[in-house]
Structure formats: C-alpha cells, structure tokens
Amino acid sequence: MGRWAGSLTRTMFIFRKVQPFLAWFCRFWCSIYRRVITSGFVSRLPLPWRKVGGNEPERSYGTEEPARRYSCDVEEPVREATGETKAPNCVPEIRIEEIGDDCQVETTDEFYCCYDSTWETEPSQDTSTPRRIPRSGGSRFVKFNRFQNAAKDMQNFRHNYPNKNRMQRWGGQTFDMPNLSFYIGETCSLPDGVHISVFHEQWRGNYDKLESVHTYIQWLFPLQEPGMNYEASTLTKEEIEVFIKNDIAKKNLLESYKLMLDFYGIEMYDETTGAVQRAKNWQERFDNLNSRTHNNLRITRILKCLGTLGYPHYQAPLVHFFLRETLVNRELPIVKDSVLNYFVFAVLDKKKRRELIKFAFLNYDPKEEFVWCPKKIQTLWVSSHAPQHY
C-alpha cells in the first residue's frame, strides 16, 4: 500500500511539473489551427473534389475581400456597473465612418483596420462590402499586419467577449467565485497557496520572485479569458458584478496594481486620476522590462483587468506613461511595439483612446511608418499641427 501511494505521489508531482508545458503546447497548436482555418488558405487549395459553382466565384490570391464584420450603432458597447454589456442593434459592415464633424474615413483607407472601432461614430446607409486597395510592401505592411492581428484580440476584450458562452449562474455564493474569494482573503492562490495579504506584504519589492514565478499574475489580475495557469479561474459576468461592488476586493486590487507598478519602476501619485510617474529605481526596473519580454503580456493583462473590475480610468494614464517613455524619452525599445499594438487598444474610453493615438502619432518617428490609425486621420493631424508662417 505504501509503495502504491508513493508511486501515485511521484506521478502527481511529475504531472504538476509538466502541466504548464502541456497547456502551452495545446494552446500553441490550437492558435496555429485557428489561424490557418480563418485565413482562408484551406479554402483556396485546388482540391480535386472542390468545384466552383455558380454561387461561389473562384478566388485568386491577393484579391480576396476582407471578412464581413458587423458594427453597432453606438460608439462602444455600454458597460454597466455590473460588468455587463448592453447589446445594441447591429447593422452590416459600415462603408464610411465619420470622424468628428468634418471627416469621413473610408474602409478603403490604406490603414483602415476592420477590427478597430476607435474611429466609428455613426453607421452610414451604404452597407455594401468595400474593396480594399492593395497595400504597399515593406515594413509598413509588416507593422500593419501585426497591428491587425492584435486588434482582433483587443476588439474582443473591448466589446466584452461577445462570443463567450454565458456561464450558468452560481446563486451569488462567494465560495463559488474563486477570484472574489481570493481577493477578500477567504482562499489562497493555486498552485502556490499564497494569501492576498502575503502578496502585498511579502512579495512587494521581491523582484526576483515576481519575475521568475509565472502562476500568480492570473490570480492578481483575473480576466474573462484563460491564461497560462490552469489552476486559476476565468472571471464570469456574475463574479464581475459582485467583485466591483465589494470594497475589500477593490481595495486589494488597487494594492496589487501598486505592487506591479513598483515592479516595473513606476509609482502612482494620484489615486483619483490614476496618474503615474517614474519611481526612484526606474532605471534598474526598466532594464528588466527591456530584457524580459513576457512582462509585455502581463501589462496587457493588467490593463484589461483594470477596465473589467472597476478601474477603467486608470488605463489611459498608464498607457500615456509608456507612450512617453518609448516615443519621447526613447526608453523601453522592447516594449514599444506592445504599447502601440496592445496597450493603447485596451483603453475602453474611446475619446481617451483617440487622444493616446494622436499623441503617439505626433511623437512617432518616422511618421510614414505609423500604421495605427487611418491615413486620412494622420493627414488631418499633420495639417492641424503644421507650423504657421506669418
């Protein structure tokens, strides 16, 4: 009996060690599968049993039109205090989208991204599917492709995961809500077994541990999407509703945010606005950011969590900080692409998001390589900030 128990213990120990790798391996191949299927590559293969019918015109490479999408007749889905999103009436793809009072951006614009709702205001009456103009090659094409791939994920987040299956209601019992239970101090994180107070009191300033341990970030900043820690639970709509009404949970989330800001060499100097600045040890911590790229993923998660669990007004100040450090002060070169592709587009407030993109464009060099907003908007910004000669 003892030998059998020992073998079982060793087996469980080995399984827990390889589980993160197996989870990553499965997610990696699933992502490859999804990209191949959604790219339309399979549908273009000249398979012998595939015949082109009268209702299915033959497609040629380089001329395929973008997938049809749907835009809503409001600027952004409205998030209630409960974390729910009101489902507005949706209409087919918008051909022309108005920007302000005097500018219209066509979907054939060189840098129009069909996954970015930043520039949408009101739908037009024209619902025909537009043709895209060919894009030029070179680094701009590569940058835009990366942005467009990232935009799919960020749009899904900003619209509150519209394709996510709704979880069955739990009846509001806190022990059935693992993230809330952890944040009010009733349970510990898994698999590390760390209490929320221990994180705040003993992990703050322990930079080696914060850097090397990869299972805590999903507990400190939970999302409605899974992470690398399979023993962490994703948020549900019901849990979000209860969480943002719980003062203890929100206070502890603020402390977790400050803990990670310190880890990145940043400090908050205004809790009302969320304004941040460099900490005294910023040079040392910036060096870590420049050498440990997985922290870019962590920061994206933090921004999403702030927007989900009651601190959306903290998003823009943090993103502005990173834009200034990367584009103006020329620090954090390894973080720059993540700031432009992910951080900016995690900001839920559309007005703030536009302001951040404008700030990024005006400080980006060379400007002809800027791909994160439509070309027509860029032209307007250049003309409005051109030097005046008298």
Side-chain angles (χ1 to χ4, degrees), residues 207-218 228 260 263-264 285 288-302 334-335 338 343:
Y207 301 140
D208 290 339
K209 181 174 286 189
L210 289 170
E211 179 59 48
S212 60
V213 178
H214 301 284
T215 50
Y216 69 88
I217 198 72
Q218 294 84 7
M228 293 298 294
M260 294 307 295
F263 175 62
Y264 296 130
R285 304 316 308 154
N288 185 73
L289 268 176
N290 271 322
S291 60
R292 310 286 184 172
T293 57
H294 67 92
N295 282 296
N296 298 339
L297 300 174
R298 291 178 172 182
I299 296 170
T300 302
R301 169 176 280 270
I302 291 170
I334 303 301
V335 185
S338 292
F343 296 4

Side-chain angles (χ1 to χ4, degrees), residues 135-276:
R135 300 192 186 281
S136 58
S139 61
R140 287 196 306 173
F141 178 80
V142 174
K143 288 179 184 293
F144 184 82
N145 269 359
R146 290 175 178 170
F147 162 49
Q148 193 156 243
N149 288 334
K152 296 179 185 180
D153 171 59
M154 305 316 294
Q155 182 196 55
N156 192 39
F157 159 71
R158 291 196 310 272
H159 288 251
N160 207 16
Y161 304 91
N163 298 322
K164 185 174 187 256
N165 293 329
R166 189 176 181 85
M167 300 291 289
Q168 186 177 3
R169 294 193 66 88
W170 286 331
Q173 299 180 34
T174 57
F175 61 81
D176 282 332
M177 300 184 179
N179 296 292
L180 177 64
S181 180
F182 164 72
Y183 254 105
I184 62 178
E186 292 184 353
T187 58
C188 297
S189 66
L190 296 174
D192 305 300
V194 182
H195 194 274
I196 185 64
S197 62
V198 175
F199 276 119
H200 296 162
E201 296 169 8
Q202 299 181 19
W203 285 50
R204 185 183 177 100
N206 193 338
Y207 301 140
D208 290 339
K209 181 174 286 189
L210 289 170
E211 179 59 48
S212 60
V213 178
H214 301 284
T215 50
Y216 69 88
I217 198 72
Q218 294 84 7
W219 285 100
L220 291 188
F221 301 97
L223 298 176
Q224 296 180 73
E225 57 189 82
M228 293 298 294
N229 183 0
Y230 264 55
E231 296 192 59
S233 300
T234 56
L235 286 169
T236 63
K237 302 292 193 290
E238 292 82 3
E239 193 171 19
I240 294 170
E241 177 181 353
V242 179
F243 192 106
I244 62 179
K245 292 178 180 178
N246 190 293
D247 293 338
I248 296 176
K250 288 201 61 182
K251 180 180 178 181
N252 281 330
L253 178 59
L254 176 58
E255 290 303 312
S256 296
Y257 180 47
K258 291 179 179 178
L259 179 150
M260 294 307 295
L261 287 179
D262 176 71
F263 175 62
Y264 296 130
I266 309 170
E267 63 181 6
M268 181 185 294
Y269 65 88
D270 190 335
E271 286 191 13
T272 301
T273 64
V276 295

Side-chain angles (χ1 to χ4, degrees), residues 62-124:
T63 61
E64 184 178 4
E65 293 178 346
R68 188 175 183 83
R69 75 182 175 96
Y70 290 86
S71 298
C72 298
D73 58 1
V74 294
E75 287 198 2
E76 196 81 42
V78 181
R79 286 176 182 262
E80 299 280 9
T82 63
E84 294 282 1
T85 301
K86 291 181 179 179
N89 297 322
C90 292
V91 295
E93 165 142 311
I94 300 169
R95 180 175 175 81
I96 297 178
E97 296 166 334
E98 298 178 353
I99 308 300
D101 298 327
D102 57 355
C103 178
Q104 292 180 331
V105 176
E106 299 184 11
T107 56
T108 53
D109 188 287
E110 184 177 3
F111 296 129
Y112 176 87
C113 176
C114 61
Y115 300 105
D116 177 23
S117 58
T118 302
W119 311 104
E120 295 177 8
T121 53
E122 297 295 335
S124 99

Side-chain angles (χ1 to χ4, degrees), residues 342-360:
Y342 290 94
F343 296 4
V344 170
F345 295 94
V347 176
L348 295 175
D349 188 318
K350 181 175 292 186
K351 181 179 179 181
K352 293 293 184 182
R353 198 160 70 245
R354 291 180 178 181
E355 292 173 354
L356 291 167
I357 296 172
K358 182 176 182 180
F359 177 85

